[in-house]
Amino acid sequence: MSNTRRDALRQIAIALTAAGSAMELNAQQAEHVHSAAAADTKGGKYTPKVFNEHEWATVARLSELVVPADARSGSAVDAGAPQFIDVLCSQNPELTVIFTGGLSWFDAEMRRRAGKEFVAATPAEQTAMLDAIVAAERTVREQNAEEVLFARAPQYKGFSGYTVKPGTDLEPGVRFFDWARKLIVDAYFTSPIGMKDVNYIGNQMLSKYEVPQEAIDYAFNRSPFRIV
Amino acid sequence: MPQVQRSPEIFDVVVVGSGAGGGTTVRVLTEHGIKCALLEAGPMLNVAKEFKEHQMPYDVPHRGAEDGGAAYFGKGKPFGYFSTTSGGWELDGEPYTVGEGSEFRWFRSRILGGRTNHYGRMSYRFSPYDFQPYSKDGLGFDWPVTYDEMSPWYDKAERFVGVTGANHNDLPSAPNGQFLKPPPAKVHELLIQKACDKMGVYCIPNRRAIVTEPMKGRIPCHYCGQCGRGCQTASAYSSSQVDIFPAMKSGKLTVFDNAMVREVLTDGNGKATGVVYIDKNTRREKVIRARAVVLAASACESARILLNSKTAEFPNGVANGSGVVGRFLMDTVGFGLSGYVPALEGMKHYNTDGAGGAHLYMPWWLWDKHNKLDFPRGYHIEIGGGYGLPGIGSFQGAGRRAGYGQGIKDIARKEYGCSIAFAGRGEMIPNMHSYCEIDRGVVDRWGIPVLKFHFKWTDYEWKQARHMEKTFADIITTTGGRVTGLSAAQRESDGISTPGTIIHEVGTVRMGKDRRDSALNKYCQAHELKNLYVVDGGFFVSNPDKNPTLTINAFAWRAADHLAEEMRKGNV
């Protein structure tokens, strides 16, 4: 939505309130806050508040691996995922521990696999490690689902074919990667790049609301209600 | 010198609470020229600061995850950062307790306008049969009023609030009303409507408190789709913008914000004389005197105030000679299921926001088939779907399924906007196990004894929820889609909403013909005190599958007119 439209709506909102000037002042303050936030995200080089240089590089590489650039759109790095993670960590020691600990585990695991830190590994070595984590994650997820099931229906636990899957040494990596992916994916799809990627076109000011007949026809022709 | 500060002014009426009931009351009373004081337990509403209607997630560094990613730790605002709830199920320093074996979550708004700033704007007038449910099936209780008596008040409320919709002469579950032109149905809604046609389920234009044409200074909806964030143009109704701000301009209304009411004062001769409140800014106790007192603090909060107002004259609490205050607490029966509709894949995107929520809904369709059902009463169905504003968590499914990499983008692009969701909203039968009382052992940070809740769904509600589940699954598969909502394991515990979470809690100060089993008469006036009214969800006798707000608007209007007339006649 353009700023002029926003301003127009704000003016209307102010006119509707009972207390005049105090509201207006706050509207202006709100605008200032907005412009400041916008400038902050658009501005030049970002200085991490929490991560050291090495961690910062690892977060960026992970972001790129989770949501890579393609022909249509940029990567999670272009969408500001590392900044997003750094900002949240800077406000939350619990999250900081999850990330600094997880990043350190990633380096240790890569050293074990390839004798180097995660960022120094080749793309093939990096994706091989992520593949292993994702495979372990699926095992853990199935296992958790079974535990939930058995907690509620313990009579099935003894049956063959219902055995709980064994744990995995990759579990700390699985737990961290779940956090990392969660934040990276959210950062991507809540950015202008990500929203454009999925072609989000809402939250506009429209004078009239219409549903295109073309869209209706398209869906109905692909549905069981197709008129043959 | 007394410790308690008295406001030197004596008001005509003091109104406690500023939601649909309190807002309507002060508007109507001030129009009658009556001088009102309005007490709100939260702050004054600052629309520009509070309503984040047109912000995008990227306008804030945390993108909506809130400071430190609170939303990821389950500590974010209810309904998300951008919503304008200003309250929630847990408030700092204002606890409540829950009886052993019960589960209940109590939602409270603390801001001028209360829940009307963010509610779903569903505006469903009761059906004729909703007022006499006991006469129909022998369960629960009848209201002391009939539909014919209330219909003109629904007309007034609909015309004032501004409700979209359409009339259907053959539909007892959705009586005719005073409707504004409804917006056109969206594509997924048309598919759902077609599926409903095949199943014999009615799917009709939704009835929501949103103006689609200019109305009394409110400009029509601009279709940004963000009603839950508050509506800066007041195109979506809120009591704050539509009732209270105009009433403040009349000069007849004084608003006291951050005023937490503890008790109603009485004179020992069957009359209320005012209220005692704690000024949250100074933590000092204050008194407001008035010729009449109107409670609209929300069903449970009003019950709490009455129960905490004990005197020699009212040993069970003011207006509680019957002992029903706090009893027969009801919420709405809720159940949700979602599905994926492949027919929508690859559709050229269009703006699916419209007037915020769904443009169609399904009123109860089996009102004459109860002999074939294993539960009483009924429910309506609300619809979700479309290309919603991406936010925190929107694409986590794609992330988990693809693991990482290009697949996440591929899934998101393909599946975005192809999901539909259904929410059933059904009628609970009032029961003896569901009530609130004062917990004598616990006070809140203002020193006010808190509520203790007891609640139980019975088989009636569980069976209704199972009927919802089967119906929703049938609709989804009839559109050619597949159910994605709940796994078998989840269903065992999540087969029905947690009591209180639909935020339709009503019934704790109910009205009735007989003062021995009700607290109020049909005008929301206390049987025992002529100058005390309760106009929030407390007066409900039953909780039909019609979201409560419009009924509160209608009854509060009627109560305010009644009070004004009684004051004019000198009876109050």
Side-chain angles (χ1 to χ4, degrees), chain B residues 185-199:
Chain B
K186 304 167 200 178
V187 176
H188 63 277
E189 294 172 339
L190 290 168
L191 284 174
I192 290 164
Q193 188 178 45
K194 194 81 185 172
C196 288
D197 281 351
K198 286 187 181 296
M199 295 168 56

Side-chain angles (χ1 to χ4, degrees), chain A residues 1 6 9-10 12-13 15-18 23 26-27 30 34 37 41 65-70 72-75 79-80 84 87-88 91-92 94-95 98 127 130-131 134 137-138 141 148-149 152 177-179 181-183 185-192 195 197-212 214-216 218-220 222-225, chain B residues 45-48 53-59 61-63 65-69 72-73 184-187 190-191 194-195 198 217 219 221-224 226 229 232-234 245 248-249 342-354 359 387-396 399-406 408-409 412-413 416 478-480 489-490 492-493:
Chain A
M1 190 177 298
R6 261 186 215 190
L9 288 179
R10 280 198 187 286
I12 293 160
L16 281 166
T17 60
M23 296 281 183
N26 280 308
H34 279 204
T41 48
L65 284 162
V66 170
V67 184
D70 68 354
R72 194 199 289 195
S73 59
S75 72
F84 171 67
V87 165
L88 295 192
Q91 299 159 336
N92 184 345
E94 192 181 345
L95 195 62
I98 290 169
T127 53
L130 290 190
D131 287 339
V134 167
E137 173 183 52
R138 295 197 166 130
R141 209 184 300 152
V148 169
L149 188 67
R152 296 202 178 128
F177 186 64
D178 187 50
W179 271 105
R181 182 180 53 207
K182 198 152 50 181
L183 270 61
V185 166
D186 277 345
Y188 179 76
F189 287 107
T190 57
S191 72
M195 287 201 195
D197 188 338
V198 294
N199 194 22
Y200 171 71
I201 46 177
N203 203 353
Q204 303 275 327
M205 184 178 173
L206 310 175
S207 52
K208 192 167 184 226
Y209 184 72
E210 285 168 325
V211 177
E214 182 194 345
I216 299 171
Y218 175 89
F220 269 75
R222 290 166 49 85
S223 80
F225 314 127
Chain B
L45 171 69
N46 180 333
V47 169
E53 185 179 348
H54 299 119
Q55 283 188 30
M56 289 296 190
Y58 48 78
D59 287 336
H62 61 61
R63 307 279 183 94
E66 302 183 48
D67 287 350
Y72 292 116
F73 294 87
K186 304 167 200 178
V187 176
L190 290 168
L191 284 174
K194 194 81 185 172
K198 286 187 181 296
I219 63 166
C221 175
H222 55 274
Y223 306 108
C224 76
Q226 307 302 324
R229 298 172 167 204
Q232 296 192 354
T233 59
F245 290 157
M248 285 167 78
K249 285 179 184 160
L344 296 167
E345 282 174 3
M347 186 165 74
K348 191 180 168 204
H349 288 202
Y350 70 102
N351 186 331
T352 57
D353 287 345
H359 291 181
Y387 305 103
L389 174 51
I392 293 299
S394 295
F395 293 92
Q396 288 305 322
R400 278 194 303 271
R401 275 159 53 215
Y404 72 97
Q406 181 65 32
I408 295 178
K409 281 183 174 178
R413 288 167 188 167
Y416 176 51
T478 307
T479 64
Q490 278 176 308
E492 277 192 46
S493 69

Side-chain angles (χ1 to χ4, degrees), chain B residues 228-309:
Chain B
R229 298 172 167 204
C231 183
Q232 296 192 354
T233 59
S235 309
Y237 167 78
S238 71
S239 65
S240 48
Q241 296 159 288
V242 181
D243 291 302
I244 298 170
F245 290 157
M248 285 167 78
K249 285 179 184 160
S250 76
K252 295 279 178 192
L253 175 65
T254 310
V255 176
F256 295 80
D257 66 351
N258 290 309
M260 183 78 186
V261 172
R262 189 183 70 207
E263 61 182 279
V264 174
L265 294 172
T266 51
D267 65 357
N269 276 315
K271 280 191 95 172
T273 56
V275 296
V276 179
Y277 72 97
I278 314 300
D279 175 358
K280 289 183 171 179
N281 298 319
T282 59
R283 293 195 299 280
R284 298 281 289 190
E285 192 174 304
K286 292 183 179 173
V287 165
I288 289 195
R289 302 261 175 209
R291 285 169 61 199
V293 174
V294 178
L295 296 185
S298 83
C300 299
E301 198 75 70
S302 289
R304 179 187 181 196
I305 293 168
L306 292 174
L307 291 169
N308 274 326
S309 310

